[in-house]
């Protein structure tokens, strides 16, 4: 009995119907994702429709969401198994089928590449002004609590505590310092308003937070909205507490405390990723079409300084010519401050070559299969003509 059900499942998984249904569902998801970008933005729509196993939706009267459609991850996984099983089940292991084997392998690699991109791709930004040298990247969506030793203004030392650790509400020791940060409360998104006469006591005992009222807010729903990430933290060192502080990316005023003669500032900023090399912006160019204000081209002339590799060179990054270096791609994304600021989008995707390899395999496989079929057809026609003659 079990063998019978297993055989049915195997045959069903390899069926052409599953392939067609999966492709139709993927086309429907692409349409829904495109329409949803109006409300959710590109990143939000892709996350909801293409990189989830199920599409969820809240209905009036229900406190929890319900699944309404299979997500791109689930459909892609089914298609991946379908193509793999169908290939082993239907294609004979001989040279006449090598083209189809290559095409099937390319399709499987194409689907696997999307999973790799969804799981491992990291998108960050590098904002750099003319003449400035930068050795860090910033996440546009992830934040961290940053504690910076600014005792020596020329060589500030920054320590970051990511949101994931803040959300756990634990004590976090900062490596290389005597400090421990006790997280007393964390808000993924909050509304910050001035404290009024009838409001409850403030959450902070030190800094600007003593005059601020904090209320929890729902997470940002669109790409253009930014969460007001907020935490109430208590810096401690050697058993001494420096009071509770309110840190948020919505607070611009500097907040600092002194421990054993060293001054530390704290705040919440975009999460930073430090690089083992630095980039200097030498020149930013913003070209327009003659006689108009329509942008024609943006480009940044940068200098890469990498002591570990002994590399010192200039590179021009323009709109369609990214710089690929150290496993990352630097794209020209935006600009500001009267053409003195260049913003580069930096993408690290370990599987960026997979789409190119898969498309090459599919094309090569189809060409080989077409060639074998044409040769077989030509040979059969010649044999028929010889018999007729």
């Amino acid at each position: 009995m079990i063998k019978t059900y297993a055989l049915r499942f195997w045959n069903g998984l390899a069926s052409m119907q599953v392939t067609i249904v999966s492709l139709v569902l993927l086309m429907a998801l692409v349409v829904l994702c495109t329409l949803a970008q109006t409300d959710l933005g590109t990143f939000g729509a892709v996350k909801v429709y293409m990189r989830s196993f199920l599409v969820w939706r809240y209905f009036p009267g229900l406190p929890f969401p319900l699944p309404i459609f299979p997500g791109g991850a689930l459909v892609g996984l089914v298609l991946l198994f379908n193509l793999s099983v169908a290939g082993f089940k239907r294609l004979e292991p001989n040279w006449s089928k090598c083209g189809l084997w290559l095409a099937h392998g390319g399709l499987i690699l194409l689907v696997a590449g999307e999973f790799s991109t969804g799981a491992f791709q990291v998108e960050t930004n590098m904002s750099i002004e003319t003449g400035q040298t930068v050795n860090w990247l910033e996440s546009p969506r992830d934040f961290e609590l940053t504690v910076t030793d600014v005792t020596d203004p020329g060589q500030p030392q920054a320590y970051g505590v990511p949101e994931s650790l803040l959300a756990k509400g634990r004590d976090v020791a900062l490596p290389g310092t005597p400090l421990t940060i006790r997280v007393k409360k964390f808000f993924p998104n909050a509304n910050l308003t001035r404290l009024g006469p009838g409001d409850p006591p403030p959450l902070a005992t030190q800094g600007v937070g003593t005059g601020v009222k904090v209320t929890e807010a729902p997470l940002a729903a669109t790409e253009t909205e930014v969460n007001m990430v907020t935490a109430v933290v208590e810096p401690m060192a050697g058993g001494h507490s420096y009071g509770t502080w309110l840190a948020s990316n919505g607070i611009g005023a500097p907040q600092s405390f002194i421990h054993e003669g060293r001054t530390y500032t704290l705040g919440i900023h975009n999460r930073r990723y430090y690089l083992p090399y630095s980039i200097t912006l030498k020149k930013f160019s913003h070209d327009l079409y003659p006689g108009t204000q329509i942008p024609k081209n943006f480009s940044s002339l940068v200098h890469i300084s990498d002591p570990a590799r002994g590399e010192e060179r200039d590179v021009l990054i323009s709109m369609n010519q990214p710089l690929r270096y150290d496993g990352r791609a630097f794209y020209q994304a935006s600009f500001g401050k009267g053409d003195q600021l260049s913003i580069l989008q930096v993408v690290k995707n370990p599987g960026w070559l997979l789409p190119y390899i898969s498309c090459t395999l599919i094309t090569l496989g189809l060409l080989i299969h077409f060639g074998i079929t044409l040769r077989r057809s030509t040979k059969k026609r010649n044999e028929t003509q010889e018999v007729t003659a």
Side-chain angles (χ1 to χ4, degrees), residues 2 12 15 41 43-44 48 84 93 106 125 170 177 216 229 235 243 260 278 280 304 316 328 333 341 388:
I2 295 177
S15 69
F43 178 78
V48 168
S84 303
N125 291 330
R170 299 175 181 172
T177 76
E216 193 166 4
V229 181
E260 294 183 349
S278 60
T280 303
I304 299 176
L316 182 67
R328 294 180 172 86
L341 172 69
T388 305

Side-chain angles (χ1 to χ4, degrees), residues 94-107:
N94 58 51
W95 285 107
S96 65
K97 301 293 183 184
C98 64
L100 292 177
W101 274 105
L102 282 176
H104 258 79
L107 279 173

Side-chain angles (χ1 to χ4, degrees), residues 17 68 78 117 126 134 141-142 167-168 227 241 302 322 329 373 377:
Q17 288 87 341
I68 59 170
V78 171
T117 299
M126 174 179 278
V134 171
R141 287 175 284 274
D142 298 329
K168 293 179 179 177
N227 289 323
S241 170
V302 301
T373 305
S377 175

Side-chain angles (χ1 to χ4, degrees), residues 80 104-116 354-359 362:
L80 184 64
H104 258 79
L107 279 173
I108 293 170
L109 201 60
L110 187 65
V111 179
E114 174 55 26
F115 276 98
S116 170
L354 292 180
Y356 298 98
I357 297 173
S358 62
C359 290
I362 293 170

Side-chain angles (χ1 to χ4, degrees), residues 4-60:
T4 303
Y5 281 117
L7 186 61
R8 287 182 181 176
F9 177 75
W10 178 262
N11 291 333
L13 193 57
S15 69
M16 183 63 74
Q17 288 87 341
V18 173
T19 308
I20 294 172
V21 170
S22 298
L23 292 176
V24 170
L25 288 175
L26 282 178
M27 286 190 287
L29 282 167
V30 169
V31 174
L32 292 172
C33 181
T34 303
L35 295 175
Q37 289 182 23
T38 306
D39 299 322
L40 302 179
T42 304
F43 178 78
V46 169
K47 184 178 179 182
V48 168
Y49 285 93
M50 304 307 295
R51 292 185 176 161
S52 61
F53 283 89
L54 293 169
V55 179
W56 300 83
R57 174 162 296 181
Y58 282 95
F59 291 93

Side-chain angles (χ1 to χ4, degrees), residues 95-277:
W95 285 107
S96 65
K97 301 293 183 184
C98 64
L100 292 177
W101 274 105
L102 282 176
H104 258 79
L107 279 173
I108 293 170
L109 201 60
L110 187 65
V111 179
E114 174 55 26
F115 276 98
S116 170
T117 299
F120 302 113
Q121 178 171 286
V122 178
E123 292 185 16
T124 51
N125 291 330
M126 174 179 278
S127 300
I128 181 169
E129 297 186 29
T130 304
Q132 186 183 14
T133 300
V134 171
N135 69 335
W136 66 79
L137 308 172
E138 288 186 339
S139 169
R141 287 175 284 274
D142 298 329
F143 293 85
E144 65 182 7
L145 173 72
T146 306
V147 180
T148 308
D149 183 347
V150 294
T151 308
D152 182 356
Q155 293 183 330
Q157 299 290 323
Y159 307 90
V161 181
E163 282 183 81
S164 55
L165 284 181
L166 295 175
K168 293 179 179 177
R170 299 175 181 172
D171 291 358
V172 182
L174 300 183
T177 76
L179 298 177
T180 296
I181 301 298
R182 173 166 293 173
V183 183
K184 308 197 76 164
K185 209 166 185 58
F186 175 69
F187 301 88
N189 191 20
N191 292 320
L192 306 183
T193 55
R194 188 180 296 276
L195 198 66
D199 291 328
L203 298 174
T205 61
Q206 303 290 330
V208 298
T210 54
V212 176
K213 177 185 175 182
V214 183
T215 53
E216 193 166 4
L219 291 174
T222 67
E223 193 175 357
T224 55
E225 295 177 318
V226 178
N227 289 323
M228 202 75 74
V229 181
T230 304
V232 180
V233 297
E234 181 181 8
M236 303 177 71
H240 178 74
S241 170
Y242 288 91
T244 54
W245 300 72
L246 187 69
S248 172
N249 56 320
I251 296 177
Q255 301 188 90
S256 63
F257 63 92
I258 299 175
H259 171 69
E260 294 183 349
R262 304 199 72 83
T263 302
Y264 296 90
T265 63
L266 54 84
I268 288 185
H269 307 98
N270 294 81
R271 187 175 183 183
R272 284 187 175 181
Y273 301 87
Y274 288 88
L275 304 171
Y277 51 89

